[in-house]
Amino acid sequence: MSPRPPRPERLDNGTVVYTAGPHRIGTDGLLLARFCLPRRAQRAADLGSGCGIVALAWHDAGHRGPCAAVEISETAHELLARALAEQPEAAGHIRAVWGDLREFGAGEGPAFDLVACNPPYFAAGRPSPDPERAAARHEQTATFADVTACAARLLRDGGRFAFCLPPDRLAQAFGLLAAARLEPKRLRFVKKEPGRPPWLFLCEAQKNRRPGLRVEPDLCLRAGVPYGGEILANMGG
């Protein structure tokens, strides 16, 4: 059976995202994009960009500053490249980078205001037999320690690093943030409905800043609305 061709999907304000296979629009990516919106002209980076959902969601929300979308999968990189080829305004400030985040920005010095990453969730367990799906879900090409090291390398002092992970990785994540001099500043848990345990947390840290963590109210996703403008509009910021 031949793979399905890339499919165009539209965000709230009309920005087109191409998806295929494991590289698709997910609730977590959209929530992360809304959780850490860059200011209009800020310099931003989306690490492990996949089909470019975070970078394109930022664009859809009004971001126009330089944005690097770094992705090691050629398939995913080509999805973003196709979206940019068809949308000149987005292509004018988003740069699709086919490369390894462990090497990105080396030797350039800290210059970014915001770095975001929706990383692979699983550090252990049996990966999918599909190589693309396995790389998207398991830490095969980069660990979260690699991600925090890259963010610390890219960010100016006071710059923000935002990410999402399952709650069982919270303690590990905070330890790695501390090692990279990234101080957690905002934390928000995401639930599918009230009374259930969270399945995700969103966190924003700042480089070389004093301790001071704000735990925000839990975000509950209402049944039947897995993602989109209704949830994003209700998130606050």
Side-chain angles (χ1 to χ4, degrees), residues 12 16 52 62 81 110 117 124 134 141 167-168 174 190 207 213 220 223:
D12 294 338
V16 173
C117 183
T141 57
D168 62 0
F174 273 33
V190 182
K207 181 178 177 180
L213 175 65
C220 294

Side-chain angles (χ1 to χ4, degrees), residues 1 33 43 49 75 77 79 102 106 110 133 158-159 206 208 212 221 236-237:
M1 184 176 179
R43 189 173 183 184
S49 184
T75 302
H77 165 78
L79 291 171
R102 292 171 292 187
R133 189 175 299 277
Q206 282 187 285
N208 291 335
L221 306 185

Side-chain angles (χ1 to χ4, degrees), residues 35 144 148 159-163 170-188 201-216:
F35 180 73
F144 190 66
T148 56
R160 298 180 291 150
F161 170 50
F163 64 95
L170 179 62
Q172 179 205 33
F174 273 33
L176 292 171
L177 290 173
R181 296 187 302 170
L182 297 167
E183 185 63 39
K185 289 293 186 178
R186 295 171 58 210
L187 178 66
R188 191 169 197 183
F201 72 87
L202 301 157
C203 182
E204 181 182 281
Q206 282 187 285
K207 181 178 177 180
N208 291 335
R209 286 296 182 261
R210 294 179 179 178
L213 175 65
R214 182 173 81 247
V215 180
E216 300 181 351

Side-chain angles (χ1 to χ4, degrees), residues 62-227:
H63 180 236
R64 295 297 182 269
C67 182
V70 185
E71 175 55 51
I72 198 170
S73 163
E74 183 178 8
T75 302
H77 165 78
E78 289 177 349
L79 291 171
L80 175 56
R82 180 170 177 174
L84 294 177
E86 296 180 9
Q87 299 173 104
E89 187 177 18
H93 73 105
I94 297 174
R95 177 167 57 107
V97 179
W98 180 25
D100 191 330
L101 66 84
R102 292 171 292 187
E103 301 172 358
F104 179 70
E108 295 183 13
F112 287 83
D113 301 295
L114 172 64
V115 172
C117 183
N118 180 6
Y121 285 175
F122 304 114
R126 178 179 294 180
S128 168
D130 179 348
E132 288 283 339
R133 189 175 299 277
R137 301 291 289 172
H138 284 76
E139 292 184 341
Q140 294 187 338
T141 57
T143 66
F144 190 66
D146 295 322
V147 172
T148 56
C150 180
R153 181 171 68 245
L154 297 177
L155 287 169
R156 61 170 177 78
D157 272 5
R160 298 180 291 150
F161 170 50
F163 64 95
C164 56
L165 279 172
D168 62 0
R169 298 196 65 184
L170 179 62
Q172 179 205 33
F174 273 33
L176 292 171
L177 290 173
R181 296 187 302 170
L182 297 167
E183 185 63 39
K185 289 293 186 178
R186 295 171 58 210
L187 178 66
R188 191 169 197 183
F189 292 97
V190 182
K191 299 179 177 181
K192 294 188 181 296
E193 59 186 45
R196 296 187 62 181
W199 63 276
L200 186 76
F201 72 87
L202 301 157
C203 182
E204 181 182 281
Q206 282 187 285
K207 181 178 177 180
N208 291 335
R209 286 296 182 261
R210 294 179 179 178
L213 175 65
R214 182 173 81 247
V215 180
E216 300 181 351
D218 292 349
L219 174 64
C220 294
L221 306 185
R222 291 185 297 153
V225 189
Y227 58 78

